[in-house]
Amino acid sequence: MLSLSNSLKLFDHLSSSFLFSLSCVLRSLGNTVEMKIRYVHLNLLLLLLPLISLLFPTLSLAQDYGDDAAKKDTPPPGLIRCNGVYMSYSSGDREKLYPRTNNATAQAWSFKATAMIVNTGIEEVKGWQMFVGFHHREIIVSATGAISSDGDFPYDASNGTTFIGSPNTDLKTSIETAGDFTKISTDIEITGTLFGGTGTATPLPKTIKLTNDGWECPAATSKGGTMQVCCRRNPKFKAKEKAKTKFMRRQHGDLNIVYDVLQAYTSNYLAQVTIDNNSPLGRLDHWNLTWEWMRGEFIYSMRGAYAAEKIPSECLHSKAGQFYGDLDFSQVATCQKKPIIKDLPAERKDDNITGKLPFCCKNGTLLPALMDPSKSRAIFQLQVYKVPPDQNRTAFFPPQNWKIDGIVNPQYKCGPPIRVDATGFPDPSGLQATTYAVASWQVVCNITKPKPQAARCCVSYSAFYNDSAIPCNTCACGCGDIDTDTCNAKARPLLLPPDSLLVPFDNRTLKAKVWARQKHMAVPKKLPCPDNCGISLNWHLNSDYSDGWSARVTLFNWGDNAVEDWFAAVDLGKAGLGYENVYSFNGSRVPPKNQTIFFQGLRGMNYLIGLTNGSNPLKDPQVPGKMQSVISFKKRDLGRLNIPGGDGFPKRVFFNGEECELPKFLPKKSSGKRLSGFGFLPSVLLVITTFLAITDRFLSVV
């Protein structure tokens, strides 16, 4: 674009050329005419101006100061004043989503926001973690420049979420990068859904802060649509001495998965997956592991595990089928983008092709190390083939979106794979040397608390001082397959005589109605739905005396399949510290609090059978598999305990790692209460004494 000065030069050049010829002809006319020519010169310039603007539309009348003088964006004042780590969150507009509703709190909105983190200090921040305290039931659909450490997108961030860098996991200093903003900062473009609020402005989160160890963040400040905070190093914080690492330090979780690349070639690589159960109460039976390939990879072969589905046609019609034209895909383990991987059965442990790996082939069983250390780890290997443009020895992209589950086991939520320092292995030659993996990634999975009516096991209560048993909650394990037109999914369960807990729910209805009439309790027209749990536990408060108390726990298996190597755990809070003994199981306390009692079957008695037919199948109901034991406790040095008031009942109950749903109320003492043996004896003596006194008086009168 031409500047004003260049335009004027052009005007002057055109007009001067024209007028020079004219002046030569008219010079003889004298000075008077020359003065008129100058006048014409000025007027001609004014006349040519519109014409030249049409002929040269790219002319610019703006002053040209050059590209170097372009005005730069002014950084926010908070960033300039911060000496540490600066963070900000700026909200954008939002749009109302379908369905439209008049209930403002239930209305869904799409929103966009931008978060920024900048290292303005003199110390590199490794593995930065930025917590955003969402509080409007936000669902994060996507985020560029970062991933959520809590799970995959879309992620329910109602209680906030922590973002970690991807791919920029570390924030270098401005000093060591000569002010390279791309290396000292990260912008996070967030897209999601929220609920509630008014207007078109996106509400701000409650807080933003840096959650790395040793950093302190004051309360974030808000102005307009932006929240910002400056976090600084705590000078009193003393980090534990740890070996320096090139990548992020390994994290701790309930389930730890490591993806190691052991051998690398141009078109494929050998990887090993190691699964460690680190939770004292975690467990998996017949585990299923799945992930998602992001760059067209496929598994050519496996050792120590197998793919649940093998469909060669998926390979032939994929990018891999086009690139590997001469490969026999009928021999490929799986070409699925989201393969389901299972552990091999024990009989394949010594197979020369698929077995002979340490910690493999346990039929998908992962037990706590407290129960059996040899069964707390699983290992398998896979040969991964790559497709263009990743045809080089250093191109590794671990699969994403990891998920793992089992049968009657806790639900795990897995984070993304994070690059960590290479895993070291003992040298296969037997020498005292260490061989390292080519590259390693870690996936951390944690147990999640089941949502209401979404558990896999439940608990019922009973006590020596009350004739009625409190059954499992209605729909404790869901009512998805139940016709709720015939039963009430939200009704309180009916109290039962204790012996009714031994029969299936379908056979309890008549007993429940008769019991309600005997106890003068109302019976609703629409009876409560069943609990629908395959496993249930009954906690019976057996006795309560001055220096101790006891309970009886009974396990019921309402499923068709037996449960092998079962275990259960009961958290009793402060009362659990008085644990003395469990008489028919193996029992121990769970450190470090020692308030949770862990018990499992004795050797040869760790098999909880399933449902069996009654003695007369045509008339008698089915009988669940059951095991029970009495547990004794002491009260010494535990202060005042109210055993019937709640201290004698569990705070949490687990079966095979799965947290069971507890009843919503406790057995109460009533006028018709049953007495324990110690309380019953004085009453009997009083009755006998009174009877003898009356009889003696009657005889004396006679």
Side-chain angles (χ1 to χ4, degrees):
M1 186 175 287
L2 295 175
S3 65
L4 177 60
S5 60
N6 292 333
S7 302
L8 293 175
K9 289 178 182 178
L10 179 61
F11 300 157
D12 187 69
H13 175 72
L14 293 172
S15 60
S16 297
S17 300
F18 173 78
L19 293 174
F20 177 78
S21 302
L22 182 62
S23 63
C24 292
V25 177
L26 300 176
R27 185 169 294 172
S28 59
L29 296 178
N31 294 335
T32 304
V33 176
E34 186 175 354
M35 292 180 62
K36 291 182 178 180
I37 291 174
R38 290 180 180 177
Y39 179 76
V40 173
H41 178 280
L42 180 61
N43 284 275
L44 185 59
L45 280 174
L46 296 175
L47 291 172
L48 289 174
L49 210 61
L51 178 62
I52 293 174
S53 65
L54 293 173
L55 295 174
F56 304 96
T58 58
L59 290 175
S60 174
L61 298 179
Q63 182 67 36
D64 183 12
Y65 292 105
D67 295 335
D68 294 337
K71 186 177 180 181
K72 296 182 179 180
D73 292 337
T74 303
L79 175 60
I80 299 174
R81 294 191 298 266
C82 182
N83 182 10
V85 173
Y86 172 83
M87 293 185 295
S88 68
Y89 182 97
S90 300
S91 61
D93 294 338
R94 62 177 186 167
E95 294 183 3
K96 188 176 289 188
L97 300 177
Y98 295 108
R100 305 292 176 88
T101 175
N102 294 327
N103 185 353
T105 59
Q107 179 60 55
W109 302 73
S110 67
F111 75 93
K112 293 183 181 296
T114 301
M116 180 173 65
I117 179 169
V118 186
N119 183 7
T120 60
I122 60 173
E123 178 183 350
E124 181 179 358
V125 182
K126 282 186 171 292
W128 62 266
Q129 302 176 29
M130 180 181 183
F131 176 78
V132 180
F134 295 110
H135 61 115
H136 286 85
R137 291 186 289 160
E138 285 87 348
I139 299 173
I140 307 303
V141 177
S142 65
T144 61
I147 54 179
S148 172
S149 64
D150 303 309
D152 304 320
F153 298 131
Y155 174 74
D156 183 358
S158 301
N159 297 319
T161 189
T162 300
F163 290 104
I164 59 178
S166 177
N168 187 14
T169 58
D170 305 329
L171 298 176
K172 297 188 178 298
T173 67
S174 180
I175 298 171
E176 64 180 325
T177 61
D180 189 343
F181 212 71
T182 62
K183 295 181 180 179
I184 69 171
S185 68
T186 296
D187 288 335
I188 309 172
E189 300 293 337
I190 304 170
T191 302
T193 302
L194 59 81
F195 293 86
T198 57
T200 58
T202 301
L204 292 171
K206 283 185 178 180
T207 184
I208 54 174
K209 61 184 177 180
L210 187 71
T211 58
N212 295 56
D213 292 337
W215 291 85
E216 291 182 337
C217 301
T221 59
S222 301
K223 185 176 182 181
T226 300
M227 174 179 285
Q228 62 180 355
V229 67
C230 179
C231 303
R232 295 179 174 85
R233 260 291 186 187
N234 180 2
K236 297 181 180 179
F237 177 79
K238 293 183 179 180
K240 297 180 180 179
E241 293 186 4
K242 296 180 180 179
K244 292 185 178 180
T245 59
K246 183 178 180 181
F247 302 99
M248 282 190 65
R249 291 189 177 94
R250 302 199 177 208
Q251 306 298 309
H252 296 284
D254 294 325
L255 202 68
N256 179 57
I257 305 176
V258 178
Y259 187 86
D260 293 308
V261 176
L262 303 182
Q263 298 172 3
Y265 308 96
T266 302
S267 61
N268 64 88
Y269 64 86
L270 176 66
Q272 177 170 290
V273 177
T274 305
I275 309 173
D276 284 306
N277 182 12
N278 296 329
S279 171
L281 300 179
R283 177 188 177 128
L284 283 168
D285 291 284
H286 305 289
W287 55 259
N288 293 324
L289 176 66
T290 184
W291 59 55
E292 183 176 2
W293 294 111
M294 309 304 289
R295 301 179 70 86
E297 302 96 333
F298 66 91
I299 303 174
Y300 181 77
S301 61
M302 301 184 73
R303 181 185 291 269
Y306 68 100
E309 292 184 350
K310 182 178 178 181
I311 308 175
S313 61
E314 290 189 355
C315 304
L316 297 175
H317 295 92
S318 67
K319 187 176 181 180
Q322 299 173 8
F323 183 73
Y324 296 99
D326 297 330
L327 189 65
D328 181 9
F329 283 100
S330 65
Q331 303 301 315
V332 170
T334 179
C335 281
Q336 287 185 310
K337 183 179 176 66
K338 297 180 179 180
I340 299 174
I341 298 170
K342 296 175 174 288
D343 191 17
L344 286 173
E347 55 265 24
R348 294 293 186 95
K349 182 178 181 180
D350 296 322
D351 190 284
N352 291 324
I353 298 176
T354 59
K356 290 194 172 179
L357 268 181
F359 300 102
C360 88
C361 316
K362 296 188 290 289
N363 204 27
T365 297
L366 273 175
L367 301 179
L370 181 68
M371 190 172 180
D372 189 344
S374 67
K375 293 184 178 180
S376 64
R377 167 175 284 192
I379 288 179
F380 65 90
Q381 294 179 351
L382 59 158
Q383 195 78 30
V384 181
Y385 273 63
K386 304 178 290 184
V387 296
D390 300 331
Q391 293 293 299
N392 63 75
R393 294 165 64 91
T394 59
F396 309 118
F397 297 93
Q400 303 290 321
N401 303 329
W402 292 64
K403 296 177 183 178
I404 191 167
D405 61 10
I407 300 174
V408 193
N409 296 134
Q411 300 294 314
Y412 289 89
K413 186 72 174 179
C414 298
I418 302 298
R419 183 76 181 267
V420 294
D421 279 356
T423 305
F425 301 94
D427 192 87
S429 66
L431 299 175
Q432 292 184 354
T434 302
T435 301
Y436 289 92
V438 178
S440 299
W441 287 264
Q442 182 192 31
V443 177
V444 175
C445 305
N446 289 309
I447 297 172
T448 61
K449 187 177 179 65
K451 297 178 181 179
Q453 296 190 344
R456 299 188 188 182
C457 56
C458 62
V459 178
S460 61
Y461 286 159
S462 56
F464 66 85
Y465 51 79
N466 196 307
D467 289 330
S468 298
I470 300 173
C472 289
N473 293 335
T474 302
C475 296
C477 297
C479 273
D481 298 330
I482 297 296
D483 183 7
T484 52
D485 291 336
T486 60
C487 63
N488 191 341
K490 297 182 179 180
R492 188 172 178 172
L494 298 178
L495 298 181
L496 299 171
D499 63 329
S500 295
L501 297 176
L502 300 171
V503 297
F505 182 87
D506 293 340
N507 302 98
R508 297 178 186 174
T509 304
L510 181 58
K511 288 190 173 185
K513 289 181 176 180
V514 172
W515 187 255
R517 284 197 296 269
Q518 291 179 358
K519 299 298 180 181
H520 307 289
M521 296 182 292
V523 178
K525 294 182 179 179
K526 196 174 183 180
L527 295 177
C529 294
D531 56 70
N532 296 316
C533 294
I535 297 290
S536 66
L537 292 85
N538 172 248
W539 182 266
H540 176 76
L541 194 56
N542 207 42
S543 65
D544 180 26
Y545 41 96
S546 60
D547 60 348
W549 60 285
S550 66
R552 184 183 69 240
V553 61
T554 307
L555 284 69
F556 298 98
N557 182 4
W558 302 98
D560 296 326
N561 299 321
V563 180
E564 188 177 2
D565 291 328
W566 63 267
F567 74 85
V570 179
D571 180 3
L572 289 162
K574 183 175 70 171
L577 296 172
Y579 165 73
E580 183 179 28
N581 196 10
V582 54
Y583 296 94
S584 300
F585 303 147
N586 280 327
S588 60
R589 296 188 182 95
V590 178
K593 293 185 177 181
N594 293 322
Q595 296 179 346
T596 300
I597 314 304
F598 179 96
F599 45 88
Q600 58 181 313
L602 299 171
R603 186 178 297 275
M605 299 178 63
N606 58 348
Y607 205 76
L608 184 59
I609 63 173
L611 276 172
T612 57
N613 291 324
S615 55
N616 187 349
L618 298 177
K619 182 177 66 175
D620 298 331
Q622 288 185 303
V623 179
K626 72 176 188 299
M627 300 185 76
Q628 69 177 205
S629 179
V630 173
I631 310 173
S632 60
F633 300 86
K634 295 181 178 179
K635 295 182 179 178
R636 189 178 305 166
D637 302 326
L638 294 179
R640 187 176 182 85
L641 292 176
N642 185 355
I643 300 302
D647 290 333
F649 292 90
K651 308 299 183 288
R652 301 174 75 184
V653 173
F654 302 85
F655 181 82
N656 280 359
E658 173 78 10
E659 185 169 355
C660 306
E661 187 165 318
L662 301 177
K664 298 177 181 179
F665 53 97
L666 303 175
K668 295 181 179 180
K669 289 187 175 181
S670 62
S671 57
K673 65 184 179 182
R674 285 187 292 155
L675 300 174
S676 65
F678 293 100
F680 183 70
L681 184 58
S683 301
V684 173
L685 293 175
L686 178 62
V687 171
I688 294 174
T689 304
T690 304
F691 176 78
L692 292 175
I694 294 174
T695 305
D696 182 70
R697 183 177 180 183
F698 176 78
L699 292 175
S700 61
V701 171
V702 175

